[in-house]
């Protein structure tokens, strides 16, 4: 679905190129400025501004892969990112966790592990996202904790933060060790990804620029996501905000291709609006929806796989949270997003991830996935002989041949939605979906089974972590 | 959006014609059987079966109007139903009402009046629906109560039940009296509508058949809606259920056109699935979504305006209720439905309408309406000079020229969603959307102002009602 006519999309692309060439981007990392300068960009060392010509951008777009084969920990977990494919991630990056049992609190290592298990459990999530910050784990050691957890508890596609080269190199080493990858295997396909947020407007900070370079050089994937709020860090209009986001994404994408032509990189945006009365961010709004549509048009203009996002500004897992998340989700779906992040669990505009909301949103994602499998209307499905002509007027189809053949498999079976009538539901305790979701996540965690491991490789991973921990780890860079 | 390829849709249409011709439809009203017989259909008086040939159906489809200009109580409330237009109705037909203040109860006249005021309040609803049954009003007088309320409290397009000719004639008389319509004005355009549910499978009962005839003869609109649950009153497959629904809709539509060629009639469907474990109806499911898509394809096959439905099986206004209703709503929207009923407030698969859910769902509908207004990406919106080049890297756009010009009007303003951060929200009492919605409907009702009336006409309406009440009213027929 489109929001703007093709000529306006072309104007937005042209304006983005003009932004990069005339207004420039502030790049805080000297190494990144050097890369741009070497490739012929005009760089002002004092102001740290980089002015990127359209030829350089167009060459980068041409060398960026249109299709990215992502390798997970098991072949059945692999997936390909390209226009037309669809991958979900749960909500990510929150400092807090919440659930109905333990309340809202700064997230801990235990929360991180539990969210990871839930993400592994639901087949609809194909990528691991950093759902919460394990704040009780010291920052120089946190990447050991999160990487070990991802290697031990799931074989889905893992995520690493870009918090400086030392941490990133540690993560790559842990990944190749735990998954038994040769250097060549590792570099040929992405086995991990990072998310790169620009500091809108028009700033690329040190760890983000370093991450783009490090991931590109090692053949690992960057998902570039300018996070822009219309009326705050971006123009108040959808067109202006997405033009800015597009310019920033192109700048970051260009850096990856200068670092290593052909490096796997995913275009992205996350643009919603603020509430102009309070300045507070809003999600799942009409403007958010239109921004997804516009970004999708620009991604197709480039021909690249791209990421969009759902999410909610609500403070608890309530009707607002459900409605905002699903509204934003349909924006992403109708925009043709390749990766949809924050598709489950995100509250407070990303300050908290909720256990119950994750379970409830996963229901919606499962229903979308079920829709994607399609339906048939052949002779057997229309069923003139096996259903329609078998039942008398005002009769029922419970016992028709067609029903008997299909009753176990025809319909989607929910994990948290409840179809009991009011009386039965009341007898069972009048539990709302939120309360039932508590039971769902508790049961998943209680019955969790990690995937099979190679114990030698995991042993080597643990040895590496022990050694690096003893050495003091690697503090994040900023 | 389509779920089936065109050839399969054609097969479904052909199978529906075959159902009508070979299997037939049971028509309980002798007058309706006579109309079919006179037009050449084969009728078996003993079994009450009518076998309708394809020529008769095709002639009816050809004479049914493709565009229906609906006249409300004020010209600015008029609307046209045709493929491509979109009209919302709140949830309808429930025996119960619920809200957080008064709890769940059998609906009363007061509930009917309050829901009517809420429907009048929200611009997104263009049609009045019979949201709840005022069970404390005796059935022979109930249509006086509901009609007087619709004439006095709103100038939107009114609804009348088809519960026998005497009640329908009373309603037409009250409508023309209250709105000062000449007989000719009344018959030239629909000024009211009814909803016709078939008794699936393949049965048309007495009041429904009578309603089709009465509304057609008076130029008033029937919305034909076979209400079929896959696996229960309809085949278990989407293809089978929609084929049956299509056949029943065509039979009813044919009756309207035989009664008066060119009579305004709206094609429709409401098809979801049951839970095969319990037999309970489910709504907002993948099958429900696909059924809407299939019905939309068949409506376009006929070229007629058509009605679909959202709705929820949840027992309270919770996350399930929100997710089901919105999921079903997107099914209707992507199917290109002309009228979307049960788009707000419906719980328990239609057994209850909730005041809070109506308010919460209206937020989603308002956001959809806002989306439909579109967005621009001209020079002013992209804003290279008025926004993008005015702000330094890492700056903000709060004070850019473009923002200053637009901050009051650029974004959708919610009536129940809350963007306050967690601290502010907690200080204000940690109210979830459901609780805030109570405040919203209370305020709407407290400040309600009915539209301007012609006091002579309303006086005449009251006189008519007094006279008919003295005469004992008109009991519903069944």
């Amino acid at each position: 679905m489109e929001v703007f006519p093709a000529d306006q999309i072309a104007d937005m692309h042209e304006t983005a190129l003009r932004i990069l060439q005339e207004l420039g981007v502030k790049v805080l990392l000297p190494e990144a400025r050097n890369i741009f300068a070497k490739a012929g960009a005009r760089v002002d060392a004092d102001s740290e501004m980089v002015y990127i010509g359209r030829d350089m951008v167009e060459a980068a777009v041409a060398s960026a892969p249109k299709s990215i084969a992502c390798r997970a920990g098991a072949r059945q977990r692999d997936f390909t990112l390209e226009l037309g494919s669809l991958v979900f991630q749960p909500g990510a990056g929150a400092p807090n966790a919440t659930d109905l049992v333990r309340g809202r609190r700064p997230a801990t290592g235990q929360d991180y592990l539990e969210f990871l298990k839930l993400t592994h459990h639901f087949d609809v999530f194909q990528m691991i996202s950093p759902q919460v910050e394990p704040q009780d784990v010291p920052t120089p050691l946190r990447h050991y904790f999160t990487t070990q957890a991802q290697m031990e508890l799931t074989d889905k596609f893992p995520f690493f933060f870009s918090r400086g080269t030392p941490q990133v190199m540690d993560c790559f080493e842990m990944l190749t060790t735990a998954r038994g990858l040769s250097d060549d295997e590792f570099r040929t396909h992405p086995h991990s990804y990072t998310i790169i947020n620009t500091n809108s407007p028009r700033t690329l900070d040190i760890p983000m620029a370093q991450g783009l370079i490090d991931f590109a050089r090692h053949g690992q994937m960057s998902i570039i996501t300018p996070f822009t709020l219309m009326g705050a860090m971006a123009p108040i209009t959808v067109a202006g905000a997405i033009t800015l986001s597009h310019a920033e994404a192109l700048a970051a994408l260009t850096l990856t291709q200068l670092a290593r032509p052909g490096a796997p990189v995913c275009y992205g945006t996350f643009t919603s609006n603020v509430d102009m009365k309070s300045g507070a961010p809003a999600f799942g709004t009409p403007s958010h929806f239109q921004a997804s549509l516009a970004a999708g048009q620009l991604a197709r203009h480039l021909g690249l796989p791209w990421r969009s996002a759902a999410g909610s500004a609500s403070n608890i897992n309530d009707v607002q949270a459900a409605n905002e998340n699903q509204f934003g989700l349909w924006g992403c779906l109708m925009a043709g997003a390749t990766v949809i992040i924050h598709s489950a669990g995100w509250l407070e505009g990303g300050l908290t991830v909720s256990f119950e909301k994750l379970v409830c949103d996963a229901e919606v994602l499962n229903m979308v996935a079920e829709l994607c499998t399609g339906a048939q209307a052949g002779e057997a499905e229309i069923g003139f002989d096996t259903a329609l002509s078998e039942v008398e007027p005002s009769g029922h189809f419970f016992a028709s041949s067609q029903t008997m053949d299909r009753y176990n498999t025809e319909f989607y079976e929910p994990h948290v939605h409840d179809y009991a009538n009011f009386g039965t539901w009341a007898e069972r305790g009048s539990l709302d979906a939120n309360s039932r979701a508590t039971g769902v996540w508790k049961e998943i965690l209680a019955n969790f089974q990690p995937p099979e491991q190679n114990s030698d490789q995991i042993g080597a991973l643990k040895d590496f972590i022990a050694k690096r921990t003893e050495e003091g780890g690697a503090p994040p860079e900023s």
Side-chain angles (χ1 to χ4, degrees), chain A residues 389-418:
Chain A
S389 63
E390 276 186 8
V391 178
E392 293 299 301
S394 303
H396 66 75
F397 290 78
F398 285 120
S400 78
S401 314
Q402 191 192 50
T403 301
M404 297 310 287
D405 280 351
R406 293 167 178 256
Y407 69 93
N408 259 329
T409 55
E410 193 68 15
F411 302 133
Y412 170 74
E413 276 198 37
H415 58 258
V416 70
H417 286 187
D418 179 1

Side-chain angles (χ1 to χ4, degrees), chain A residues 287-409:
Chain A
S287 297
H288 178 186
F289 195 113
Q290 290 168 333
S292 291
L293 295 181
Q297 290 185 262
L298 284 162
R300 288 189 290 278
H301 191 80
L302 304 177
L304 297 179
W306 70 289
R307 176 211 110 129
S308 193
S312 167
S314 184
N315 290 294
I316 44 168
N317 182 33
D318 66 353
V319 167
Q320 173 181 345
N323 276 336
E324 288 180 336
N325 205 77
Q326 195 179 151
F327 200 83
L329 177 68
W330 282 105
C332 297
L333 292 170
M334 294 178 75
T338 314
V339 178
I340 304 179
I341 194 173
H342 307 321
S343 63
W346 226 55
L347 290 176
E348 299 177 45
L351 294 180
T352 295
V353 173
S354 153
F355 283 74
E356 284 84 14
K357 183 156 176 58
L358 183 99
V359 167
C360 292
D361 291 339
E363 187 89 278
V364 176
L365 300 179
N366 277 341
M367 293 202 294
V368 170
E370 177 83 9
L371 272 185
C372 292
T373 65
Q376 293 299 317
E379 203 179 318
E381 287 80 19
I382 295 177
F384 185 84
D385 295 320
T386 54
L388 292 163
S389 63
E390 276 186 8
V391 178
E392 293 299 301
S394 303
H396 66 75
F397 290 78
F398 285 120
S400 78
S401 314
Q402 191 192 50
T403 301
M404 297 310 287
D405 280 351
R406 293 167 178 256
Y407 69 93
N408 259 329
T409 55

Side-chain angles (χ1 to χ4, degrees), chain A residues 216-290:
Chain A
R217 285 188 178 149
H218 291 80
Q220 304 305 295
M221 181 168 66
S222 293
I223 299 187
I224 299 170
T225 309
F227 176 39
T228 50
L229 289 167
M230 296 173 232
M233 306 93 91
I236 194 168
T237 60
V238 171
I242 289 293
T243 299
L244 176 64
S245 168
H246 186 59
E248 294 175 359
L250 288 174
L253 181 145
T254 300
L255 180 56
T256 66
Q257 300 305 304
L258 293 176
R260 178 177 160 180
V265 60
C266 184
Y267 177 85
T269 187
F270 189 7
T271 299
S272 190
N273 59 289
V274 294
D275 170 23
M276 290 311 292
K277 282 185 211 146
S278 63
F283 297 94
T285 65
S287 297
H288 178 186
F289 195 113
Q290 290 168 333

Side-chain angles (χ1 to χ4, degrees), chain A residues 15 43 72 78 90 106 113 128 143 145 160 174 212 231 249 268 271 319 329-330 348 358 403 408 439 452 465:
Chain A
T15 306
V43 173
D78 294 349
L113 297 178
I128 300 300
H143 61 297
F145 176 82
F160 303 135
M174 286 187 276
L212 288 167
T271 299
V319 167
L329 177 68
W330 282 105
E348 299 177 45
L358 183 99
T403 301
N408 259 329
E452 294 232 351
I465 292 174

Side-chain angles (χ1 to χ4, degrees), chain A residues 430-448:
Chain A
S430 301
L431 296 179
D432 71 359
N434 205 356
S435 306
R436 293 195 306 271
T438 305
V440 174
W441 66 256
K442 279 185 163 180
E443 197 182 331
I444 294 169
L445 295 181
N447 297 320
F448 182 79

